[in-house]
Structures are given as structure tokens and as C-alpha cells.
Amino acid sequence: MKQLDGQCIAITGAAGGIGSLLCQRLVERGAHVVGIDRLPSPEANSEMIADLGSFEGIADLGAKLDDLGPDMLVNLAGIQYFGPLQDQSPENLWTGYVINLIAPAMLSRAVVPGMRARRQGRIVNIGSVFGSIPFAHFVSYSSAKAGLKGFSQALRRELAGSGVEVTHVAPRAVRTPLNSERVLALAEITKMHLDAPEYVADRIASAIEKGERDVVIGFPESLFVRLNALMPTMIDKALAANDRKAAAIFN
């Protein structure tokens, strides 16, 4: 018997580079995967087309998830902006926070009552190392992912003893279409490591299967996360040179 046999798992961002691979991994482990995206999710067992960039779209999806009653919800969908905050359009700024933070919170709210009634379930929030080590020129993305980490911790504490668990996974940079040409240029000049999406999908699937609570993917990033929490000034100094290199991209 496979570890996830009979589990209904809903995944947002299921058509993306990591999402499609994660759907494959979870289906292989016996889960019935419901892929959620703006586009079809061929690697999932079934799919829901949804718009996570609007209140109405999120509310509509929340109602559908309430009816579905999934055993797990994986909040994977996300968008990224790289550049000075002053150059980010108001529309893009707003949409980034909605998709990266508001949507996971609203969708979690939609499925938690059913999970609590069944006394079992899991919310899986895919954050980012940037949420624990906020980077210059990723201001809105870093702060949204920091919010998602805080949301995950607070919700876990609120649901303690209910049978509903919360997992937070923080990948480092991943080589997917989410990266713009400028992000790839930054990775080149700063020697930033980009993980293969297959590796990240494997690690997320493993965290789901094992019921892990907090996962940071990659070393030395996992060490820097701890150091930033204890000694942020030291990390400021360590990142300063790379921040200057990043700024040069926009000059």
C-alpha cells in the first residue's frame, strides 16, 4: 500500500514547472490529485480552473474546495517580481501579495472547517528562503513569503490538537520559467545556485509524505535562515556585495 493511497490533495499552481512535477510525484504515491491553475493541469487526476489574482476568483475556488473536502491543500501558486520597489507597478504589487499571501490564507480558511470536523487534514504552504532572508530588489516577494511563513506558524499553533497539521516548505532559487532574464543575470553574477525543479518537487513530496512541519531546502541557505533570525546585521553585511551587484543590473 502506498503512503498516500486514498488521499485527496488539491494543489494550486499545478500547471507550473514545479506544480506539474509535484502532481506526478503525488499521483505516483497513490493520491488523487486535484490540479488548480488558470491553465489545464494534465498531470493531475482532475482539475479546477481558477483565478487566484482576484477576490472573486479566490472566493469561488474556496467554495468549491469546501464542497470537495480535500485531505490536503497545497498552496504552491506564486508570482515573483525582481527590481526596485519604486519601479514595480501598483497593479503588479497588489497582485503579488494577493497570489502569494492572501490566496493561501483564504483557501486555508475555506478547507479548515471540514478538516477539523473530520479531525484530520494538512495545509502545505510553499514559501521561499527569501521569506526568512529578505533580499533587496525582491521586496514585495520576500515580504509576502515572510507573511506566509508567519501565517503557517500561527495557524499550526491555532490548530494544535485538532488533527489538522500545517507544513511550511521554503525552497531556495529554482530554475523555472518564473525567473526573468534579470533574475538569471543576478544568479550568474552572484553565483547563486538554482535548484532543478525535479529536486524541489521530490523534496516537497517527501515532506508531504512524512508529515514534516518546517523544511528549508538547500545548504548553506538553511544555515543562513537561522543566522538571519539571530544576527540579522551580520547577514546584512554578508549580502551587501550581492545587493550592489543586483542594483547594477538596473543602471
Side-chain angles (χ1 to χ4, degrees):
M1 182 175 180
K2 297 179 181 179
Q3 184 71 20
L4 298 177
D5 271 353
Q7 296 283 297
C8 177
I9 304 179
I11 304 177
T12 67
I18 297 174
S20 59
L21 293 169
L22 182 59
C23 287
Q24 291 178 3
R25 270 56 172 177
L26 297 179
V27 168
E28 290 169 358
R29 286 166 167 80
H32 177 90
V33 177
V34 180
I36 302 167
D37 210 307
R38 294 177 300 171
L39 303 172
S41 306
E43 304 301 334
N45 300 105
S46 59
E47 61 187 35
M48 294 181 180
I49 302 299
D51 172 21
L52 297 184
S54 70
F55 179 88
E56 293 77 14
I58 299 170
D60 179 66
L61 176 59
K64 291 177 180 177
L65 289 175
D66 181 30
D67 290 338
L68 177 67
D71 297 291
M72 298 188 199
L73 169 66
V74 182
N75 289 305
L76 173 61
I79 62 173
Q80 182 187 89
Y81 172 80
F82 171 54
L85 179 64
Q86 67 189 40
D87 294 342
Q88 187 172 8
S89 72
E91 294 80 10
N92 185 272
L93 181 67
W94 187 89
T95 301
Y97 282 113
V98 169
I99 293 177
N100 292 330
L101 179 57
I102 301 301
M106 287 183 63
L107 297 180
S108 296
R109 177 187 179 277
V111 300
V112 160
M115 291 180 176
R116 294 192 74 153
R118 297 188 297 272
R119 295 199 60 78
Q120 70 87 27
R122 182 172 296 276
I123 307 292
V124 182
N125 292 323
I126 310 303
S128 170
V129 164
F130 285 20
S132 297
I133 311 172
F135 274 65
H137 304 98
F138 291 94
V139 173
S140 59
Y141 181 74
S142 290
S143 55
K145 290 299 187 179
L148 186 60
K149 178 180 179 180
F151 172 77
S152 301
Q153 292 178 337
L155 184 61
R156 181 186 298 134
R157 290 166 180 163
E158 182 171 309
L159 296 174
S162 70
V164 185
E165 305 293 338
V166 178
T167 294
H168 179 262
V169 182
R172 59 184 176 182
V174 187
R175 191 173 292 280
T176 72
L178 186 68
N179 297 313
S180 66
E181 291 185 6
R182 283 177 166 176
V183 171
L184 295 177
L186 175 68
E188 179 68 25
I189 64 176
T190 62
K191 308 303 180 186
M192 179 190 297
H193 183 84
L194 297 174
D195 283 324
E198 293 81 4
Y199 169 72
V200 176
D202 285 339
R203 190 64 187 88
I204 295 172
S206 176
I208 291 171
E209 192 171 37
K210 295 177 182 177
E212 295 181 77
R213 290 162 59 92
D214 284 295
V215 176
V216 179
I217 300 177
F219 186 87
E221 286 80 2
S222 55
L223 173 61
F224 291 160
V225 165
R226 296 183 182 184
L227 291 175
N228 189 67
L230 296 172
M231 296 174 284
T233 302
M234 183 181 76
I235 301 301
D236 286 346
K237 295 177 181 178
L239 294 177
N242 282 348
D243 292 344
R244 288 192 293 271
K245 292 177 182 177
I249 294 175
F250 304 100
N251 294 331

